[in-house]
């Protein structure tokens, strides 16, 4: 039997990102809610990264009367606590994002010691440094690389420490208080100097690799794959980020441009979920084009596929009850049907409704005793099916239900007959033999172009004019 992918391919879908001259076949809209979720996940990583701040030992000297010159050093410093309680990410139209952090707190524990020219006056102790009012501002530029994957890099960074307090213990802590300003200045400088490089390192070494896991190509089988590459840098507005994907099926071996273009997509304004996806009819219809031009939209139906309890089997005796000429010309012989798509099947999306109406030829043959085939008749069949689509955590799934089958006789080798006599048989073969195989494939689904460890939850679907709209929240982990 032919490849059962053939009837389903215009129903394949895939996921996860303006305005170029060429419309995208797939748009992913990131809302403020989605960006806030990403910020929460990223702040965990950033806080761990900033906790790596290294505070070098430092020393100095000052004159203290009547002791004279006092040499001091601070050493063995380690970050005991690092907190970034307040953060927000905001959209910067036509540029990218801005990450703002306020109210940061750092506690550093360490040791100190001093000595004077009077050798009997020296000492040591511990200290606690508390950095309060730490603020960080980072600009994030969004783009795409040569492979069509999203990119992000820090375009600017600044930070400021509001206050530094040093609490010193030990017998001579009064002495350390005399060079408090030197301690404050040195530690403040050491911390501020490292924050932006560590933020940049976190973005480039932790966040950027996550974005690079977006699969720009999803292989479906040995014929086709889906191109999920970005069409360009994601457009940013004051409301959202729209990541635009090519969203196109292509042939592995011989890629040719489809003879039609994607329509413009206009996603409605809705921000109650983290992400919204606009999947153009174009994506589905390029699937039909690829498999049609590859000659893969062909099915074979034989008698062993017909349930025993069905009254019309694929043999000349059964069909002879409908068309007597068949059993007279070819008595007691098995039959075979070839179902071939005659044109690229197109899927149509309208509000609340998704349909597909493939046009096929059904060629009926009698199988002669020498195994050769004798042509009986040729039908032109247009099948209208309703498509029910769904999305699970990482795949899109579907199910087809037959709505209507229309037939016309194109040619007969057994004399004239009314095609209405074959309605029951053809409807049964399509609905109970072809369609179940198609639905097995659709129920398994196809992978969405998601970043690693990302799953969709709370999915809401809504067929719209020329595209499928669905929104979801995101779970990362």
């Amino acid at each position: 039997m032919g490849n059962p992918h053939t009837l389903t391919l215009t129903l394949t879908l895939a996921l996860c990102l303006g305005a170029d001259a060429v419309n995208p076949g797939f748009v992913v809209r990131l809302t403020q809610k989605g960006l806030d979720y990403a910020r929460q996940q990223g702040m965990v990583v950033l806080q761990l990264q900033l906790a790596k701040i290294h505070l070098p030992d430092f020393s100095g000297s000052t004159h203290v009367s009547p002791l004279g010159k006092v040499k001091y050093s601070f050493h063995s410093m380690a970050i005991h606590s690092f907190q970034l309680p307040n953060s927000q990410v905001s959209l910067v139209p036509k540029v990218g994002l801005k990450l703002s952090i306020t109210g940061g707190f750092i506690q550093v524990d360490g040791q100190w010691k001093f000595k004077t020219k009077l050798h009997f006056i020296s000492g040591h102790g511990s200290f606690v440094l508390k950095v309060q009012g730490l603020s960080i501002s980072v600009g994030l530029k969004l783009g795409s690389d040569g492979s069509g994957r999203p990119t992000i890099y820090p375009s600017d960074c600044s930070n400021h420490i509001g206050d530094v307090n040093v609490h010193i213990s030990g017998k001579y802590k009064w002495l350390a208080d005399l060079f408090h300003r030197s301690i404050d200045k040195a530690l403040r400088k050491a911390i501020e100097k490292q924050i932006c490089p560590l933020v940049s390192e976190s973005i480039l070494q932790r966040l950027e690799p996550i974005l690079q896991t977006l699969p720009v190509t999803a292989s479906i089988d040995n014929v086709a794959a889906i191109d999920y590459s970005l069409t360009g840098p994601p457009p940013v507005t004051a409301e959202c980020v729209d990541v635009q994907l090519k969203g196109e099926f292509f042939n592995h071996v011989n890629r040719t441009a489809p003879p039609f273009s994607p329509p413009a997509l206009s996603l409605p304004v809705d921000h109650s979920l983290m992400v919204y996806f606009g999947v153009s009819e174009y994506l589905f219809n390029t699937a039909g084009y690829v498999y049609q031009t590859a000659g893969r939209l062909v099915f074979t139906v034989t008698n062993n596929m017909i349930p025993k309890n069905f009254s019309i089997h694929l043999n000349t005796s059964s069909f002879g009850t409908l068309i007597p000429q068949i059993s007279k010309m070819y008595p007691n012989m098995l039959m075979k049907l070839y179902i071939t798509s005659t044109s690229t099947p197109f899927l149509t999306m309208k509000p609340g409704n998704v349909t597909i109406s493939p046009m096929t030829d059904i060629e009926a043959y009698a199988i002669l005793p020498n195994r050769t085939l004798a042509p009986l008749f040729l039908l032109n069949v247009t099948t209208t099916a309703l498509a029910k689509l769904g999305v699970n955590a990482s795949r899109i799934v579907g199910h087809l239900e037959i709505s209507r089958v229309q037939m016309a006789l194109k040619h007969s080798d057994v004399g004239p007959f009314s095609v209405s006599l074959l309605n029951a048989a053809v409807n049964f073969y399509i609905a109970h033999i072809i369609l179940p195989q198609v639905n097995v494939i659709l129920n398994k689904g196809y992978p969405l172009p998601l970043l690693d460890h990302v799953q969709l939850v709370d999915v809401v679907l809504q067929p719209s004019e020329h595209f499928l709209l669905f929104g979801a929240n995101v779970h990362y982990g």
Side-chain angles (χ1 to χ4, degrees), residues 52-309:
K52 297 179 181 179
I53 287 176
H54 172 68
L55 296 176
D57 297 347
F58 70 93
S59 59
S61 62
T62 188
H63 187 275
V64 178
S65 179
L67 300 177
K69 186 177 183 180
V70 177
K71 295 182 178 180
Y72 59 87
S73 66
F74 287 74
H75 59 94
S76 304
M77 288 178 280
I79 292 180
H80 176 76
S81 175
F82 198 113
Q83 301 173 24
L84 299 174
N86 305 313
S87 64
Q88 67 176 31
V89 61
S90 55
L91 293 151
V92 183
K94 299 182 180 180
V95 178
L97 308 172
K98 174 72 74 173
L99 175 64
S100 302
I101 300 171
T102 58
F105 171 82
I106 308 172
Q107 179 177 319
V108 177
D109 297 341
Q111 301 294 317
W112 74 283
K113 61 182 178 180
F114 79 96
K115 64 180 179 178
T116 67
K117 289 184 177 181
L118 304 174
H119 297 295
F120 60 90
I121 301 180
S122 62
H124 62 85
S126 61
F127 74 92
V128 175
L129 170 75
K130 293 183 178 181
V131 175
Q132 297 173 313
L134 170 64
S135 62
I136 306 171
S137 177
V138 188
L140 301 173
K141 177 73 173 179
L142 303 179
S144 60
D145 63 16
S147 68
R149 289 183 171 86
T151 60
I152 186 169
Y153 64 90
S155 57
D156 59 83
C157 180
S158 62
N159 69 91
H160 175 71
I161 292 175
D163 192 23
V164 176
N165 294 311
V166 181
H167 304 275
I168 297 173
S169 64
K171 180 179 178 181
Y172 295 97
K173 65 177 182 178
W174 62 270
L175 183 62
D177 289 339
L178 298 177
F179 37 83
H180 178 276
R181 287 189 177 181
S182 297
I183 302 169
D184 182 318
K185 183 178 180 180
L187 292 178
R188 181 190 295 264
K189 182 178 179 180
I191 293 172
E192 289 182 336
K193 183 179 180 180
Q194 296 181 65
I195 286 177
C196 280
L198 284 172
V199 170
S200 297
E201 179 182 330
S202 182
I203 293 169
L204 296 175
Q205 295 186 8
R206 301 297 295 274
L207 179 56
E208 176 84 0
I210 292 175
L211 296 183
Q212 290 292 301
T213 65
L214 178 75
V216 296
T217 300
S219 181
I220 303 303
D221 52 29
N222 61 351
V223 174
I226 308 175
D227 186 343
Y228 290 128
S229 60
L230 272 69
T231 60
V236 181
T237 70
E239 299 292 332
C240 58
V241 179
D242 279 349
V243 186
Q244 301 180 343
L245 307 177
K246 192 168 184 66
E248 178 182 294
F249 273 77
F250 65 93
N251 191 304
H252 280 300
V253 178
N254 182 27
R255 183 167 188 172
T256 58
F260 48 88
S261 301
L265 294 183
S266 180
L267 274 64
V269 178
D270 193 337
H271 300 271
S272 59
L273 297 172
M274 295 179 185
V275 290
Y276 288 88
F277 304 87
V279 190
S280 175
E281 290 175 346
Y282 177 79
L283 173 68
F284 305 104
N285 293 334
T286 57
Y289 172 75
V290 166
Y291 285 89
Q292 172 71 19
T293 55
R296 300 297 291 267
L297 300 186
V298 178
F299 286 88
T300 301
V301 181
T302 57
N303 188 59
N304 60 1
M305 300 176 184
I306 311 300
K308 292 182 179 180
N309 60 354

Side-chain angles (χ1 to χ4, degrees), residues 331-402:
N332 302 316
M333 295 182 188
L334 292 175
M335 292 173 57
K336 178 181 289 188
L337 301 180
Y338 287 118
I339 302 176
T340 307
S341 173
T342 57
S343 61
T344 297
F346 278 87
L347 181 142
T348 302
M349 291 183 175
K350 295 183 178 181
N353 183 268
V354 181
T355 59
I356 182 172
S357 299
M359 299 181 65
T360 58
D361 278 349
I362 298 182
E363 299 173 272
Y365 294 90
I367 304 175
L368 302 179
N370 63 3
R371 309 306 296 172
T372 59
L373 300 178
L376 301 176
F377 55 83
L378 174 62
L379 301 177
N380 176 253
V381 179
T382 300
T383 303
T384 301
L386 298 178
K388 296 182 178 180
L389 303 177
V391 176
N392 61 21
S394 62
R395 302 175 76 86
I396 186 158
V397 297
H399 183 83
L400 285 180
E401 293 181 358
I402 295 296

